[in-house]
Amino acid sequence: MLNGQDPTAFTAEASSRLNHYFQVDTERQAFIHNILEKLEANAKRINELELDLEDQKTSRANYQSKALNLESEVRRFAQQVDKDSFVVVLIDGDGAKFADEYLRDSVGGAERAAIRLKQAVRENLRDTGAAHDDIPILVRVYANLNDLSKSLRMSRVIDYDEDMRLFAERFTNSRAEFDFVNVGKGKENADSKIRRMLNHYYRNMQCKKIFLAGCCHDNGYLHDLREYTGSPDSRLVLLETTPAEPAFRSLGFPILRFDDVFRSEPLGNETKHNVLPPLAPRPRSPIQQSSGPGPIARPQPIQKPTTTIPPPTQEQKQSSTPIPTSTPVSMTTSSPIQPSSTPEQIPGQPPRTSSVISSGNGGTSISYATAGGVNDLQNVTVKAPKPKKQPKVIFYNLDNYRIDSPTQHPPRTPAQASYQAKFHSIKPSVFCNDFYLKGRCKWGISCDKTHDAELTGPELAIHRYKARTSLCPAGPYCVDYDCYLSHHCPRAPCTRGEMCPFYNTEKWGDLHLTKDQLQPSTKWTEGIDLPEHVL
């Protein structure tokens, strides 16, 4: 016993406390070690952040310096653009004609027209707040002066063709920034220049406003103007002279009228679409009778029933005034009358005067007084009128996508080999699609494609099929009645996948239409301004 305690119990208690102290010391050492490791890691991280901070400070200073320089450049460029900004007026002179009062004034008409046009443009700019008062206004008029002068003279607007040429010269000299350009003979010359200049000025940011005149009277510019729709700015303004086609109003461009500058009605010798009516046929001298077969053609093996004029009665022969027999005859301007036979001249009677007269447009006409018995008995064969040419139509579906007529691969015939032989013989040139498929080429002799190779009917069918495998640049919104390209995939079903040119197009997406999408909803007919609903 130690001081009344059991030594064994004391030793156990002391040992327990000693172990506890050892455990506490171990935990303390581990805690201190962890703290030291964290301090070391934090010190390293702080050092890295300090380096990053210095780098960011340097970068920020560089970026701020660059930003200031760029802002200065932007301000300088903006000042330069505003300093040299301008407004342009593009005029298709064949579609937009200056008012009669200017054209008839040979002395000061051109000068007054230039001043009034500039004032009208300036007033519009002031009303819209688009530009300051001293901004330059460029005017470019493109026209075929020869045809324009002739049209104005025939409509009695001017007396001489030279008056229009003098007007153009004085209009050009009225202002340094005004030009009246004679594009020469050619239907598309003025149009092509207007399109190119429109694209040029639209991409020029110094051009603050573009006034386009003479383009709304027909749909010739409709495709080109669609490319400029959806722009946030309203730089393009259409000037309406004669009433605009409805499709132009759907484009969303502002449409203005300068009635005190341009003529608001078509000329007397042109229609709304600038189609001149045919001139009256000029009579020619009667065809003289020859010793050979007469000018009256013999009937063909297959002919429509003939109308025979009966011989004159005894009373008619004794009458002092010949009475021609009236016979109902069906006639058209394109179907000349052809007599059925050439009668023999009866001995003892005077030679018969020819009754066939040229109509001036390639056909012939017959004197019915002569054919009815004034000189002799004749049979007259009247050609049946040619069937009326059906107008061209375009079908669209509910999405306003154009629907093409079905097509199929031409049959395997010798024409395949002959077409390929002709195709390879003209290389590196190619067949002109417009010439062979439309029957006309706007470039004429200036076209760089082949026009002189002769293609048979089956070969033309092969060429037309090849054209149908290409995508129309206007896509499903094409309004050309003579378009020979495709506006959606012509293959049903299509097995070309991603290789098909109609797959995932850049402008219109996938042009593989479903069966429902191939159902027509509206039909547009050439020459009619409103569509017909099919469904």
Side-chain angles (χ1 to χ4, degrees), residues 1 7 69 98 157 168 207 267 279 309 330 354 362-363 370 378 391 408 425 431 449 534:
M1 298 288 294
N69 292 335
F98 286 95
V157 177
C207 183
L267 293 175
L279 296 177
I309 303 175
S330 175
S354 174
T370 304
Q378 292 187 13
Q408 63 182 32
S425 67
F431 296 122
K449 299 178 178 62
V534 179

Side-chain angles (χ1 to χ4, degrees), residues 171-215:
F171 184 88
T172 299
N173 294 329
S174 64
R175 297 288 185 278
E177 61 274 14
F178 281 31
D179 288 316
F180 200 119
V181 182
N182 180 16
V183 299
K185 191 171 184 61
K187 183 177 181 298
E188 297 292 332
N189 287 0
D191 296 2
S192 62
K193 287 187 176 292
I194 291 287
R195 293 186 182 100
R196 183 64 62 87
M197 290 296 100
L198 174 60
N199 182 59
H200 168 73
Y201 287 120
Y202 196 86
R203 291 186 290 107
N204 189 338
M205 297 308 298
Q206 291 177 302
C207 183
K208 298 301 182 181
K209 208 85 167 178
I210 303 175
F211 293 85
L212 188 59
C215 69

Side-chain angles (χ1 to χ4, degrees), residues 404-407 464-470 484-486 490 502:
D404 297 326
S405 57
T407 184
R464 186 176 299 277
Y465 176 81
K466 289 186 62 176
R468 282 292 301 275
T469 61
S470 300
Y484 44 76
L485 304 175
S486 285
F502 300 88

Side-chain angles (χ1 to χ4, degrees), residues 258-310:
F258 290 169
D259 288 336
D260 52 351
V261 178
F262 298 105
R263 183 186 179 94
S264 59
E265 296 294 334
L267 293 175
N269 65 330
E270 66 181 359
T271 64
K272 183 179 180 181
H273 297 283
N274 293 331
V275 179
L276 293 176
L279 296 177
R282 295 180 299 175
R284 297 181 183 177
S285 301
I287 300 176
Q288 299 298 326
Q289 186 176 1
S290 63
S291 60
I296 304 178
R298 296 185 180 275
Q300 301 299 323
I302 300 177
Q303 285 286 355
K304 295 295 181 179
T306 62
T307 302
T308 302
I309 303 175

Side-chain angles (χ1 to χ4, degrees), residues 127-243:
D127 293 340
T128 58
H132 44 276
D133 289 339
D134 58 346
I135 186 171
I137 299 175
L138 309 183
V139 178
R140 301 289 182 265
V141 186
Y142 300 97
N144 177 2
L145 272 182
N146 291 334
D147 289 350
L148 179 59
S149 302
K150 181 178 179 181
S151 297
L152 292 171
R153 175 175 53 79
M154 293 175 62
S155 298
R156 298 183 178 180
V157 177
I158 59 177
D159 296 327
Y160 305 99
D161 291 358
E162 188 63 26
D163 293 345
M164 185 63 227
R165 298 186 182 92
L166 186 60
F167 177 90
E169 178 182 337
R170 291 181 174 177
F171 184 88
T172 299
N173 294 329
S174 64
R175 297 288 185 278
E177 61 274 14
F178 281 31
D179 288 316
F180 200 119
V181 182
N182 180 16
V183 299
K185 191 171 184 61
K187 183 177 181 298
E188 297 292 332
N189 287 0
D191 296 2
S192 62
K193 287 187 176 292
I194 291 287
R195 293 186 182 100
R196 183 64 62 87
M197 290 296 100
L198 174 60
N199 182 59
H200 168 73
Y201 287 120
Y202 196 86
R203 291 186 290 107
N204 189 338
M205 297 308 298
Q206 291 177 302
C207 183
K208 298 301 182 181
K209 208 85 167 178
I210 303 175
F211 293 85
L212 188 59
C215 69
C216 301
H217 63 289
D218 59 29
N219 292 326
Y221 291 93
L222 193 59
H223 292 308
D224 304 276
L225 292 178
R226 282 201 177 108
E227 299 179 5
Y228 304 99
T229 58
S231 178
D233 57 11
S234 56
R235 291 195 296 153
L236 184 57
V237 177
L238 304 182
L239 295 181
E240 180 187 41
T241 54
T242 55

